[in-house]
Amino acid sequence: MDSITIDTINPKVLKCEYAVRGEIVTIAQKLQQDLKDNPGSHPFDEILYCNIGNPQSLAQQPITFFREVLALCDHPSILDKSETQGLFSVDAIERAFQILDQIPGRATGAYSHSQGIKGLRDAIASGIEARDGFPADPNDLFLTDGASPAVHMMMQLLIRSENDGILCPIPQYPLYSASIALHGGTLVPYYLDEQTGWGLEISELEHQLNTAKSNGIDVRALVVINPGNPTGQVLGEANQREIVEFCKKEGLVLLADEVYQENVYVPDKKFHSFKKITRSMGYGEKDISLVSFQSVSKGFYGECGKRGGYMEITGFSPEVREQIYKLASVNLCSNISGQILASLVMSPPKVGDESYESFSAEKEAVLSSLARRAQALQDALNSLEGVTCNRAEGAMYLFPRINLPDKAIKAAEEAKTAPDAFYAKLLLNATGIVVVPGSGFRQVPGTWHFRCTILPQEEKIPAIVSRLTEFHKKFMDEFRG
Amino acid sequence: MSTKPLDYENLNENVKKCQYAVRGELYLRASELQKEGKKIIFTNVGNPHALGQKPLTFPRQVIALCQAPFLLDDPNVGLLFPADAIAKAKHYLSLNSGGLGAYSDSRGIPGVRIEVADFIERRDGYPSDPEHIFLTDGASKGIMQILHTIIRGPTDGVLVPVPQYPLYSATISLYGGSLVPYYLEETADWGLDINDLRQSIGQARQNGTTVRAMVIINPGNPTGQCLTEQNLRQIIQFCYEENLVLLADEVYQKNIYQDKHPFMSARKVLFDMGQPISKELQLVSFHTVSKGYWGECGQRGGYFEMTNIPPKSVEEIYKVASISLSPNVPAQIFMGLLANPLKLGDISYEQFSRESKGILESLRRRAHIMTDGFNSCKNVVWAMYSFPQIQLPPRAIDAAKKVEKAADVFYCLKLLEATGISTVPGSGFGQKEGVFHLRTTILPAEEDMPSIMSSFKKFNDEFMDRYE
């Protein structure tokens, strides 16, 4: 008998799921290998990964200024060479010097303070203040290897047993369901309203909270993803204030996932951080416990592979902050390059800096392209029979609803697959397009969706649209019944 | 209004229980003193670059080029970067679609994992499967992942050496498992007596613990010693008979400063032992870019290699890895460069060789300065550089009790206040009852070592005179 078999592994590991890199991706990878070994073996000649928010893997270019600074910080010995002036912009060199001066011994290869290098946290705090108009304390910041580890830390802190519940939006980014399962807690769902552009109703929050309580669940926190993933909605200010009041009244920790804060595509919506909202309501440290998450992976910088991010924690007692620090210290620190990048993201080039114009141009190009691609794909999806798709106000995804005919649902049952996974697999096999079935994000029971990113290169969008349209027509012809 | 979710009393108990001394009380006190302007010599963490060790040039050149690939198109790039660095950068950029900025495969870039497998094969003489190698954000993350997979509840136990690197105790606490200590024998070069091991496991089982895994740290942290081949064979045999998965933390495999006991990987010994054990014993081996002569702690790069773990379990471990999407890509490249180093004939080989040798030889010299220095001090014995035993007089122990501190914490705090030398008390690593140690590292600059050791001796001998 082996020690780690499927029967003896931690059951929490078995329980958790993460569809973004789940079954559909495994199938896609097999098909990709097929195409390599046997060109022409499928009715498409490339796999189009629309499953994951990984912009640079689909040819989005990094922000030049950020990469210049990072390269110089990785190899500081070239800073004193005259040849360097010819290869790097003046302000990138300046910023690299500035950053290195904040790192003891200029040692980017050393473990830092477990919350992250102090000088970088200062820069991030200033950036938060500039964004919100309210001060931020560098001691409230924990720099992490991406936002995900910070979410895990908070779940670890909050979940004592399966009687502890965390309110999560449905649909949600499955990091939340997975980490709650891993840490042995209970996910308490609250449904976003598809009819009203994925609206978040306080009455729904109250209803779910009370139901959970009556089932003996101690609800500890509320997760809000703004802009939403997979849904893309951007919360209105009034809505945000209601949410803050709700958390304050119910004594819940507000976990604000704001990693898409730089991805807003519609003129009638704007991102407001929950920190800003709470402070503008006159609420401070004593009134509400708030954790805000940010990442370098999204926005217009899309630096997923760097694993950079942070959480800002406010409204916690010193004893609790000590525990959070202790947790952070077990892993010593997050990667230094990611820390540097987080500080660059939160304090980018300003008007007057040499790189400001090219930086702005690059930023604008990425964001406007994302907005165009969102529109094109959204229009295409809405033109399909039985498909409705709310607009992507922000983030990087579309989450269309497909009204699957009964015949298709039966066929899915026979194939022992969820109907949306059934659709997604057929789509993949016919077109090479990889999307994630809505069941991976959860949805109102009896409704079916899939999540598709808006990230494929702009020139590939027409081909995607036509292949998708053709597939969907054939699918409906077969299963319309 | 009831208490709030994140009030101290409502926190997850496991979080409250876990301790991690390396950045605990002594470090916090040292940081306070540093803020007040006192000169502190931080020897609490194996953090070479923080103490002046320079990064190896070649890997930094490669990573800088990977960060800024537009440099590769510049005709003047050759003025700043050698041709082999440029070639390597292009090689690694080609291995991950989207370069440094894209999530890689959740297990790590396939091309790098192949390089790691080749490295393992060259080292051990047995082939290694890249599909069973997962790159992680530091070895620590990998260790935590594996322990999380093993520990189901409070009755699951993990055998951990005493003294140990407190990541193990902290993680087992955090995941709600049970730490089952086994003692290393100080007087036998921190070796292992198999009978002690049997006793530990027997006792644990009597207490209702299901012992599931055994950790070995080889070379040892904090002990600095290598397990003998005989010990490794005994351990492997023991794990096989007792149905334990063996977790081999081998991050210090390149930090050997004595020739008596060379490093042998657990995997090599396992395969040397042949079938059936070589096909059945479950083993996970861990390595890093943070130690050795690289010392690239801040990159957070590491890997674990699974041997004889069933496919379904590997799938589950992969699934959990995928939730965090991917390990950081720059560190994966560091790992590739470590696994697939420059060869004789490469332009940068000579410089790389010289830098590496320089660091290793200096570490070896510092280890000896420290060992000799400690052994010349009153009541300091068995010093194998980093974990000397301090024989504290009873009056010192009483004085410590009076201020409600463990005796070694008391000693280390006094050492810190008197000399600025920041160490970690042995209680942070575990030790036999009534036996005290402190842990230091050999990383301060070589030119500072003699004065550090004389500073220590002065403090220690005065302390001993005072309390005897």
Side-chain angles (χ1 to χ4, degrees):
Chain A
M1 193 199 69
D2 296 322
S3 207
I4 327 183
T5 64
I6 204 67
D7 304 312
T8 61
I9 230 171
N10 182 352
K12 294 178 202 152
V13 167
L14 288 176
K15 193 165 168 223
C16 81
E17 296 295 330
Y18 185 70
V20 175
R21 279 199 157 170
E23 188 195 4
I24 196 95
V25 178
T26 313
I27 299 172
Q29 284 165 343
K30 285 204 186 84
L31 293 176
Q32 189 163 39
Q33 192 60 42
D34 281 354
L35 286 175
K36 212 171 151 205
D37 301 336
N38 235 331
S41 51
H42 293 282
F44 48 84
D45 42 34
E46 65 174 327
I47 300 291
L48 288 155
Y49 287 99
C50 301
N51 60 305
I52 184 174
N54 196 14
Q56 293 193 30
S57 76
L58 295 169
Q60 178 174 308
Q61 293 305 300
I63 298 295
T64 307
F65 179 78
F66 293 168
R67 291 303 191 90
E68 285 185 291
V69 176
L70 289 170
L72 291 166
C73 290
D74 274 335
H75 190 35
S77 56
I78 59 174
L79 275 171
D80 305 314
K81 302 224 166 100
S82 58
E83 293 92 335
T84 304
Q85 320 280 346
L87 285 169
F88 292 86
S89 62
V90 167
D91 51 350
I93 295 172
E94 236 175 76
R95 181 72 81 103
F97 270 119
Q98 225 182 70
I99 289 169
L100 289 166
D101 282 342
Q102 290 164 342
I103 300 175
R106 291 186 167 190
T108 52
Y111 294 125
S112 71
H113 186 287
S114 294
Q115 282 178 248
I117 293 160
K118 178 67 176 21
L120 298 177
R121 283 185 280 133
D122 290 340
I124 293 171
S126 301
I128 294 171
E129 180 164 355
R131 181 195 67 194
D132 294 344
F134 292 96
D137 184 346
N139 293 320
D140 291 345
L141 298 174
F142 284 75
L143 307 194
T144 47
D145 291 303
S148 299
V151 171
H152 278 289
M153 247 194 266
M154 291 314 300
M155 293 306 176
Q156 196 142 53
L157 218 58
L158 284 166
I159 296 170
R160 296 162 299 185
S161 75
E162 61 187 0
N163 296 324
D164 283 333
I166 312 284
L167 274 158
C168 290
I170 303 299
Q172 48 99 48
Y173 173 53
L175 165 67
Y176 293 97
S177 45
S179 71
I180 291 165
L182 268 179
H183 297 295
T186 296
L187 190 154
V188 178
Y190 67 89
Y191 291 88
L192 300 174
D193 188 354
E194 190 159 11
Q195 312 298 346
T196 60
W198 300 111
L200 198 169
E201 299 298 324
I202 299 301
S203 53
E204 167 66 5
L205 288 180
E206 280 167 354
H207 168 64
Q208 296 296 350
L209 174 65
N210 292 328
T211 307
K213 277 183 182 165
S214 64
N215 291 334
I217 303 290
D218 189 352
V219 181
R220 315 261 279 151
L222 170 69
V223 172
V224 179
I225 310 172
N226 182 45
N229 178 5
T231 50
Q233 86 285 13
V234 176
L235 296 170
E237 272 182 88
N239 205 186
Q240 285 183 276
R241 286 194 286 269
E242 286 179 310
I243 293 164
V244 169
E245 291 289 5
F246 174 76
C247 289
K248 182 170 182 292
K249 174 172 143 238
E250 302 293 345
L252 304 175
V253 177
L254 177 52
L255 301 173
D257 177 341
E258 299 177 329
V259 303
Y260 294 100
Q261 55 187 263
E262 297 273 9
N263 300 101
V264 178
Y265 310 123
V266 294
D268 58 308
K269 290 285 183 80
K270 210 174 153 251
F271 169 77
H272 302 283
S273 77
F274 269 101
K275 173 90 179 308
K276 176 169 117 174
I277 297 291
T278 55
R279 294 299 179 264
S280 66
M281 291 166 80
Y283 291 144
E285 292 277 329
K286 294 196 167 48
D287 302 299
I288 183 166
S289 301
L290 168 65
V291 183
S292 313
F293 303 95
Q294 167 60 319
S295 168
V296 306
S297 301
K298 310 302 175 191
F300 52 91
Y301 22 89
E303 295 278 20
C304 301
K306 300 298 184 59
R307 313 318 277 116
Y310 69 79
M311 63 177 178
E312 181 190 14
I313 64 170
T314 59
F316 296 100
S317 68
E319 297 85 24
V320 173
R321 295 167 68 95
E322 234 177 85
Q323 296 299 313
I324 298 175
Y325 172 81
K326 183 177 70 179
L327 268 187
S329 76
V330 174
N331 198 45
L332 285 153
C333 72
S334 64
N335 84 79
I336 307 303
S337 186
Q339 293 187 32
I340 293 172
L341 183 51
S343 79
L344 291 169
V345 162
M346 296 307 288
S347 65
K350 294 188 196 40
V351 178
D353 292 347
E354 180 191 319
S355 300
Y356 177 72
E357 283 196 26
S358 55
F359 165 79
S360 274
E362 286 176 358
K363 172 180 172 179
E364 187 40 44
V366 171
L367 288 175
S368 59
S369 172
L370 285 168
R372 283 192 302 272
R373 285 179 271 169
Q375 190 68 59
L377 285 169
Q378 198 179 294
D379 290 344
L381 289 163
N382 274 312
S383 73
L384 301 177
E385 180 189 346
V387 178
T388 52
C389 187
N390 281 333
R391 65 175 185 168
E393 298 177 350
M396 290 176 174
Y397 314 99
L398 289 162
F399 200 64
R401 179 171 168 185
I402 23 171
N403 282 311
L404 290 167
D406 288 336
K407 200 171 162 201
I409 296 181
K410 276 204 182 71
E413 266 163 36
E414 266 154 44
K416 294 205 168 74
T417 313
D420 48 15
F422 179 73
Y423 180 93
K425 282 184 212 177
L426 286 175
L427 171 66
L428 171 58
N429 282 299
T431 65
I433 299 170
V434 190
V435 300
V436 187
S439 27
F441 303 87
R442 297 184 54 169
Q443 54 209 339
V444 170
T447 67
W448 312 109
H449 302 77
F450 63 81
R451 189 187 79 166
C452 179
T453 70
I454 58 173
L455 300 173
Q457 290 107 302
E458 225 166 327
E459 55 269 23
K460 297 212 162 130
I461 301 281
I464 292 176
V465 168
S466 68
R467 273 196 244 165
L468 173 63
T469 308
E470 196 191 324
F471 162 79
H472 188 81
K473 184 171 183 306
K474 287 206 180 101
F475 177 89
M476 291 306 279
D477 286 343
E478 184 179 345
F479 291 104
R480 204 177 285 110
Chain B
M1 176 70 231
S2 61
T3 57
K4 293 203 277 190
L6 273 179
D7 287 348
Y8 185 77
E9 59 263 34
N10 294 330
L11 291 185
N12 180 353
E13 282 304 316
N14 291 339
V15 170
K16 286 191 269 188
K17 269 194 240 153
C18 103
Q19 296 298 331
Y20 183 70
V22 175
R23 282 204 160 168
E25 181 181 5
L26 250 297
Y27 173 71
L28 290 171
R29 181 71 187 126
S31 305
E32 260 167 44
L33 289 170
Q34 186 179 47
K35 275 203 198 103
E36 288 167 23
K38 191 175 171 77
K39 177 166 192 283
I40 303 294
I41 303 143
F42 285 98
T43 72
N44 58 308
V45 175
N47 198 10
H49 293 199
L51 294 160
Q53 180 176 311
K54 296 270 165 280
L56 297 166
T57 307
F58 185 73
R60 293 305 191 98
Q61 290 173 324
V62 174
I63 214 72
L65 287 166
C66 290
Q67 287 281 16
F70 44 80
L71 291 174
L72 294 168
D73 300 323
D74 194 305
N76 290 325
V77 65
L79 296 173
L80 275 179
F81 296 91
D84 49 2
I86 293 169
K88 277 282 191 183
K90 289 185 175 154
H91 162 71
Y92 284 110
L93 285 172
S94 74
L95 292 181
N96 191 42
S97 168
L100 296 191
Y103 295 126
S104 71
D105 184 306
S106 300
R107 297 162 292 188
I109 297 167
V112 173
R113 285 153 55 221
I114 291 170
E115 291 178 332
V116 172
D118 290 342
F119 157 79
I120 294 169
E121 178 166 357
R122 279 194 313 274
R123 181 194 68 193
D124 295 344
Y126 295 102
S128 170
D129 185 353
E131 294 298 291
H132 293 143
I133 294 168
F134 284 29
L135 307 183
T136 52
D137 285 312
S140 298
K141 270 278 147 70
I143 288 162
M144 293 181 82
Q145 257 170 266
I146 296 297
L147 284 173
H148 199 202
T149 307
I150 294 170
I151 296 170
R152 296 163 301 186
T155 57
D156 278 343
V158 180
L159 277 160
V160 175
V162 177
Q164 50 103 37
Y165 174 53
L167 169 68
Y168 293 97
S169 46
T171 304
I172 292 165
S173 232
L174 213 47
Y175 294 142
S178 197
L179 190 152
V180 179
Y182 68 90
Y183 293 85
L184 298 174
E185 186 42 65
E186 187 157 16
T187 58
D189 291 343
W190 293 111
L192 179 56
D193 181 345
I194 202 73
N195 294 314
D196 278 347
L197 201 50
R198 292 196 202 287
Q199 206 171 45
S200 294
I201 200 174
Q203 191 137 49
R205 284 171 174 160
Q206 261 185 357
N207 297 337
T209 301
T210 308
V211 183
R212 308 255 283 145
M214 175 172 177
V215 172
I216 56 171
I217 309 173
N218 183 41
N221 182 3
T223 59
Q225 189 49 277
C226 283
L227 293 168
T228 61
E229 184 175 354
Q230 187 194 32
N231 256 175
L232 284 166
R233 282 178 172 252
Q234 287 172 319
I235 289 163
I236 288 167
Q237 187 67 37
F238 175 78
C239 288
Y240 178 63
E241 285 164 5
E242 302 295 340
N243 192 26
L244 309 174
V245 52
L246 178 58
L247 306 178
D249 176 342
E250 298 174 332
V251 301
Y252 290 101
Q253 56 188 267
K254 280 294 190 196
N255 299 101
I256 321 269
Y257 313 121
Q258 45 71 36
D259 303 308
K260 192 170 168 204
H261 302 305
F263 168 75
M264 291 187 75
S265 78
R267 194 168 193 275
K268 176 177 191 335
V269 176
L270 173 66
F271 287 138
D272 284 348
M273 289 168 79
Q275 292 191 38
I277 198 172
S278 60
K279 276 218 145 44
E280 296 189 13
L281 190 271
Q282 292 187 330
L283 165 67
V284 187
S285 314
F286 302 89
H287 196 21
T288 181
V289 304
S290 300
K291 312 300 173 194
Y293 47 89
W294 285 60
E296 291 279 10
C297 302
Q299 307 300 339
R300 315 314 279 111
Y303 74 77
F304 61 83
E305 182 199 19
M306 297 174 282
T307 303
N308 299 328
I309 307 295
K312 283 218 167 83
S313 305
V314 174
E315 243 174 72
E316 292 296 319
I317 294 167
Y318 182 6
K319 180 182 76 177
V320 174
S322 75
I323 299 169
S324 298
L325 287 151
S326 96
N328 91 70
V329 175
Q332 296 187 45
I333 293 173
F334 272 91
M335 185 53 82
L337 289 164
L338 187 153
N340 187 11
L342 290 170
K343 296 177 192 41
L344 187 58
D346 290 334
I347 299 166
S348 304
Y349 176 77
E350 204 251 292
Q351 175 192 58
F352 182 82
S353 239
R354 192 183 358 109
E355 288 175 352
S356 310
K357 273 213 191 89
I359 292 168
L360 273 177
E361 282 165 7
S362 172
L363 285 168
R364 186 177 265 253
R365 285 192 299 269
R366 283 179 271 171
H368 288 138
I369 295 174
M370 195 162 248
T371 301
D372 295 343
F374 280 134
N375 283 329
S376 79
C377 293
K378 208 166 184 208
N379 296 342
V380 179
V381 295
W382 297 114
M384 193 5 227
Y385 56 92
S386 51
F387 202 63
Q389 185 186 135
I390 318 284
Q391 290 175 334
L392 292 168
R395 281 181 56 211
I397 300 174
D398 287 338
K401 277 207 189 97
K402 279 210 185 81
V403 289
E404 287 176 356
K405 297 234 181 274
D408 50 9
V409 174
F410 179 73
Y411 177 94
C412 291
L413 280 168
K414 292 254 176 259
L415 169 66
L416 171 64
E417 315 241 339
T419 65
I421 300 171
S422 173
T423 57
V424 187
S427 37
F429 298 85
Q431 50 207 349
K432 282 200 172 128
E433 183 84 40
V435 181
F436 304 105
H437 303 81
L438 60 80
R439 191 193 80 163
T440 177
T441 61
I442 55 167
L443 300 173
E446 203 171 335
E447 59 264 24
D448 295 338
M449 284 299 245
S451 68
I452 291 172
M453 292 319 292
S454 69
S455 210
F456 175 84
K457 183 175 165 66
K458 180 167 184 287
F459 160 80
N460 176 77
D461 292 357
E462 281 172 11
F463 181 97
M464 295 304 170
D465 285 339
R466 175 155 180 228
Y467 286 104
E468 261 180 350

